[in-house]
Amino acid sequence: MAAMNILGKCKTLQTRACASIVNTHTSCANITNSVYFRRCLGSSSVILNHKSHELGQRNNRLLSHRHFSKTHVNNKVASYRSELSNAKRIVVKLGSAVITRGDECGLALGRLAAIIEQVSELQTAGREMLVVTSGAVAFGKQRLRHEVMMSQSMRQTLSGSRDVNGGQIILEPRACAAAGQSGLMSLYEAMFSQYGVTTSQVLVTKPDFYHDYTRNNLRSTMSELVKMNIVPIINANDVVAPPPEQDKDLQGVISVKDNDSLAARVAVEMDADLLIILSDVDGIYTGPPSSEGSQLLHTFYPGDASDIIFGSKSRVGLGGMESKVKAAQWALDRGTSVVIANGTTLDNTIQKVIGGRKIGTFFTEAKPSGLSTEQQAEKARDGGRVLQSLTADQRADIINRLADLLVERQDRIIQANRKDIDVARRRGGLSGPMLARLALSPGKLKNLSDGLKQIAATSHENVGRVVKKIKMAEGMELCQQTVPIGVLLVIFESRPDALPQVAALAISSANGLLLKGGKEAAFSNGYLHSLVQEALSMHAPRDAVQLVETREEVSDLLELGGLIDLVIPRGSSDLVRKIQTESKGIPVLGHSEGVCHVYVDEDADAHMAVKIVRDSKCDYPAACNAMETLLIHKAHRNTALFEEILDMLKAENVKFHPGPRLAKSLKFGPSEAGSMRTEYSGLECAIEIVDDVDEAIEHINKNGSSHTDSIITENAAAAGQFLQEVDSACVFHNASTRFADGYRFGLGAEVGISTSRIHARGPVGVEGLLTTKWILKGEGDCVQDFADGGEKTYVHERLL
């Protein structure tokens, strides 16, 4: 009666779609639902087939007007992960091992809930989601096992007989499916309804795909459901399926129908943009995942299957990685993008796949000609070891050659740089300070070349330098010497001049290097990198310094913890914070902001104060060491010095914002600073009044970023207190904040400025890219020789 009532309300909808919804909302036996659904596909075909052509045309029009764009290799297949965000219609296949509990009896509700939440969010956001699921047998087994155990206990009580096989209850899979299907669908309906999403049940068997009329009817039904913003839940009807072969692992207790080929067929029939196959492993491996040396394939190309060794089938179900690969390739060949990923982790896998993250194995027909980032990192490590084996003179030769190339090829460098600037101006979106950082000039290149020659001149003092030497005992000498860190990943924005700087520092310290530059400097970075490789070829592999030009997301690079030893971000505060947050296994060296202060003390020289404030703010406003907040002693508030500073800033077109205290004393003036912790990165700054040096120090330690701060004063006591108590990486007296730079410090160049308190702080040159190792030389010595009554004693004499 419930079914009739619902169908009565659906007169304007397609019969099969209504039947699908009815099956979700009623608690009829699975076999009844299945027969009814088969009748719709078979007996009712006379009623429905005359509309199939009209429905097909309607669905084609619907597909052609999707508001999500689609990229094309095979008309629509995504070539790169970044294009998966364009997918509109998505099929998610839930494998048996994903939704089945570890005891293979019942469902893993926590995992299932996490998946349903993601699917619901995507559906609500305007995607068209379809779910191909397993689990009916597992759900039914949970129910039937309880019934069988109860009935066995009754028989044993009455007759004393046992109906067991080795202590294990044998259940017929089709009976489990019949008992579990309604409960499984009720569970899906209840969980999806929490997010306001309607679902429908679609039971299919192999014959449904053998005949055109049943296949067309099935496609029309699912298209109608999708059109009505309903999520079809599709499952193989194991109730009427032929008996599967015996599951060797479980001795026939659970044998779920292989849904991999079903998911692929549904995705192709429904013209889906993306098929996500969720399994219990991270993706496709070169061999069984548990085998030594087996590696995860992040990208799979047609033809790669011949290089893969497949292991045994799934712990539950009849699928297996081989069947998944075959299904994925079949769907890819027919125009559907595919990703195989791990669905057992509560880590928003589906959302990350669609967001383009490097999750699972991505199937694509567009095989890039270059190396993967993993291969680049490995080659960088190998190249770094070759650099370490070179003499200091050879490393210096490479850097000097690079310095010369920057001057010799400056016309071609500037030509490439102009291309980047032209593209940036056409596209828009880059601020004035960002364009200033992007631009290269002969003067910049000359300064850059001079800095590289400084690095070359100090290369003899870097790798292999003995830091400490100790005579442990007679015949035993221990020394600590400098060695490279390993492989560096440097990420930079709009600063092509950073590339040769960082490359020279890496070569000097014998580190392998991965460079990830911003797309806004693609032409400049590409040409500068070719110069680095040309210089390297004198004595070392060109691969020692790699430029990552693939579409890898920064977050994916930060997951290469086994290949990268240190990350150095150079760019905006947003970039640095993002990297510091997302890097979970790799140390990050850098600073997130450059909120630098200049404090004009009561005893400051007026001429010096104006000069230093101008230089700190106006020399290069986009730099991280430019002044962002000016603090002025209250004694100067109504003096000529105060007015002279303001006039100078106005003349330099600097927009300034008074702090809370100064704003109160102004009847008219500019808008108050929204925050005293702002990095303006342009011709803009904040100005505030303080009572004395104590308040200045308190303000800086509270609002600064621990980068660079300076005091202008002739009072030695005030200067000493400021230098001692300001907690920043660089603290200056009577000097511009712009001196916080590796080149100006005599480091040759800097790989970045660090506000960290571990390893390196301030401008980081070669020293910050080195670590140490201990070398012990003995004469057959053993610890037992130094035990009580032993022949030797420790001396621990410091030799260096």
Side-chain angles (χ1 to χ4, degrees), residues 666-702:
L666 297 175
K667 294 182 179 179
F668 302 99
S671 60
E672 183 178 341
S675 170
M676 298 305 293
R677 300 180 181 180
T678 301
E679 181 180 17
Y680 296 98
S681 298
L683 288 172
E684 198 170 359
C685 70
I687 302 177
E688 183 59 302
I689 301 297
V690 294
D691 286 337
D692 50 27
V693 68
D694 292 309
E695 188 176 345
I697 293 170
E698 181 182 358
H699 179 100
I700 292 170
N701 288 339
K702 178 181 178 181

Side-chain angles (χ1 to χ4, degrees), residues 423-493:
V423 171
R425 284 175 175 162
R426 283 198 305 270
R427 292 178 177 174
L430 282 186
S431 63
M434 291 289 278
L435 281 172
R437 292 183 181 185
L438 176 61
L440 294 175
S441 65
K444 269 190 180 181
L445 293 174
K446 179 61 169 64
N447 290 337
L448 188 57
S449 177
D450 292 343
L452 265 57
K453 289 184 180 294
Q454 283 187 3
I455 296 173
T458 60
S459 289
H460 303 79
E461 306 169 3
N462 299 329
V463 181
R465 175 169 51 86
V466 177
V467 177
K468 186 182 296 185
K469 185 182 290 185
I470 299 172
K471 179 180 179 181
M472 287 182 58
E474 291 299 327
M476 295 188 72
E477 186 176 279
L478 175 69
C479 71
Q480 183 185 21
Q481 70 179 38
T482 56
V483 294
I485 288 176
V487 175
L488 313 176
L489 168 61
V490 179
I491 303 168
F492 55 99
E493 294 177 320

Side-chain angles (χ1 to χ4, degrees), residues 553-588:
E553 294 290 337
V554 170
S555 53
D556 294 327
L557 294 173
L558 296 177
E559 294 181 2
L560 301 179
L563 298 171
I564 296 172
D565 301 297
L566 180 66
V567 179
I568 304 171
R570 297 192 63 174
S572 67
S573 57
D574 290 339
L575 170 71
V576 178
R577 276 194 295 267
K578 174 182 170 66
I579 291 172
Q580 289 173 332
T581 300
E582 293 186 357
S583 181
K584 295 179 172 56
I586 312 175
V588 178

Side-chain angles (χ1 to χ4, degrees), residues 154-176:
M154 183 70 70
R155 289 197 300 271
Q156 289 170 356
T157 300
L158 297 176
S159 64
S161 63
R162 296 178 62 86
D163 185 14
V164 294
N165 184 2
Q168 181 148 348
I169 301 172
I170 303 300
L171 298 173
E172 209 283 325
R174 287 174 294 185
C176 292

Side-chain angles (χ1 to χ4, degrees), residues 299-415:
T299 305
F300 187 98
Y301 313 102
D304 282 356
S306 59
D307 300 326
I308 298 174
I309 301 173
F310 294 104
S312 58
K313 292 184 178 180
S314 171
R315 172 180 57 83
V316 290
L318 290 181
M321 202 49 68
E322 186 171 10
S323 73
K324 289 174 175 56
V325 170
K326 289 180 178 178
Q329 284 187 294
W330 188 88
L332 182 69
D333 290 342
R334 287 154 181 81
T336 297
S337 304
V338 184
V339 174
I340 297 178
N342 194 332
T344 62
T345 60
L346 303 179
D347 196 28
N348 291 324
T349 298
I350 299 173
Q351 297 274 19
K352 288 182 176 180
V353 166
I354 296 173
R357 292 289 303 276
K358 203 171 185 178
I359 301 292
T361 299
F362 170 58
F363 285 69
T364 178
E365 294 181 339
K367 185 172 185 177
S369 57
L371 300 172
S372 68
T373 50
E374 292 86 355
Q375 292 171 320
Q376 285 186 297
E378 289 170 355
K379 286 187 173 292
R381 187 176 296 280
D382 293 339
R385 287 169 178 160
V386 174
L387 285 172
Q388 188 175 1
S389 69
L390 299 179
T391 64
D393 286 336
Q394 288 174 316
R395 289 193 293 271
D397 287 344
I398 295 172
I399 299 170
N400 279 320
R401 179 57 186 150
L402 178 57
D404 292 338
L405 286 171
L406 292 176
V407 177
E408 293 173 12
R409 310 276 178 85
Q410 71 173 17
D411 291 341
R412 296 178 65 179
I413 295 171
I414 292 174
Q415 183 180 9

Side-chain angles (χ1 to χ4, degrees), residues 731-773:
V731 189
F732 300 160
H733 174 210
N734 289 345
S736 168
T737 58
R738 290 280 291 123
F739 281 104
D741 176 81
Y743 172 72
R744 298 183 180 100
F745 276 15
L747 305 178
E750 65 185 32
V751 74
I753 294 182
S754 172
T755 55
S756 302
R757 303 179 189 280
I758 299 176
H759 178 60
R761 201 173 187 207
V764 179
V766 174
E767 288 288 335
L769 304 181
L770 296 170
T771 184
T772 62
K773 68 178 180 182

